[in-house]
Amino acid sequence: MRKRAAFAPGARQRKLTTTIQEGLTLNFSYRKASRTTGMLFVFKNMKPYLLLDIDGVLVIVPSWQRPELLEDGFMAFQKKAAANLVRLLSLAAMQPVLVSSHRHHYTAEEWRLLFANREIYLPSIVLIETGAFPGIPSRKMEIETWANKNPGANFMLIDDDSSLQALHPALKSRWVQTLPLKGFDDEAFGKAMRLLDLA
């Protein structure tokens, strides 16, 4: 039986402050990590965050194909991707944070029910808060802004957005990249497990 992840076991910690772009400074606590992770962020006294996208992660539908809708009016999740997410959350206690552009369509409680309708039972889910941007921000901008608002936060990001390739390395190291037509498949699940040091 696998042990439950405890993102930040007792270890030497130091502070890393790095400027990603003008006016945006990130402050992280981190420890020297194991052979697989490179760097583990430390978040004290609270659950780590799971920053979660939907399209290309849980919903895998080619652009030319009409998505299947469930009775609640939202798209069905791909079964393998949903099962892998359930497995991940059973091994590591994390606070899901929805980063999908769909997040604006429902309240957090409505999202929790939508996930439950797809057999993913979450005690709670929150919607990412990034503040106001002129125009439409890229996912990279949203993640950087969220990280700046949550200094020291321990997190994992599961997303297929290509703009994340340009993330600062300290953030990019926490990214599990999915492929739009594969989603959160076994390969992506394996990377998430390695980040949790459970592989």
Side-chain angles (χ1 to χ4, degrees), residues 3-10 31 40-41 48 91-93 154 196-198:
K3 62 181 180 179
R4 198 173 182 83
F7 265 66
R31 69 174 175 88
L40 277 179
F41 296 93
L91 293 167
N154 188 6
L196 290 171
D197 213 16
L198 288 175

Side-chain angles (χ1 to χ4, degrees), residues 21 24 26 51 53 97-104 128-133 135-150 157 159 161 163-164 167 171:
Q21 59 189 44
L24 181 59
L26 300 178
L51 276 58
D53 189 21
V97 179
L98 198 61
V99 303
S100 169
S101 57
H102 295 294
R103 68 184 184 271
H104 305 293
I128 192 170
E129 295 182 6
T130 58
F133 285 96
I136 300 175
S138 67
R139 184 62 48 77
K140 169 184 174 288
M141 293 170 62
E142 291 181 325
I143 298 303
E144 288 176 343
T145 302
W146 177 89
N148 193 46
K149 288 175 177 286
N150 295 272
L157 168 64
D159 203 320
D161 195 298
S163 72
L164 299 173
L167 278 173
L171 297 178

Side-chain angles (χ1 to χ4, degrees), residues 25-90:
T25 301
L26 300 178
N27 299 286
F28 295 111
S29 296
Y30 71 94
R31 69 174 175 88
K32 190 82 173 177
S34 71
R35 65 191 183 283
T36 58
T37 53
M39 185 182 292
L40 277 179
F41 296 93
V42 176
F43 189 59
K44 300 175 183 177
N45 303 321
M46 290 183 68
K47 289 181 183 178
Y49 292 107
L50 173 62
L51 276 58
L52 184 66
D53 189 21
I54 290 180
D55 291 330
V57 176
L58 295 170
V59 173
I60 299 97
V61 180
S63 58
W64 61 87
Q65 184 175 321
R66 187 173 182 176
E68 176 190 357
L69 301 180
L70 298 191
E71 290 183 1
D72 55 25
F74 194 69
M75 296 174 287
F77 292 170
Q78 202 256 1
K79 292 190 180 201
K80 182 64 173 177
N84 280 341
L85 180 60
V86 170
R87 287 172 64 200
L88 181 68
L89 291 172
S90 73

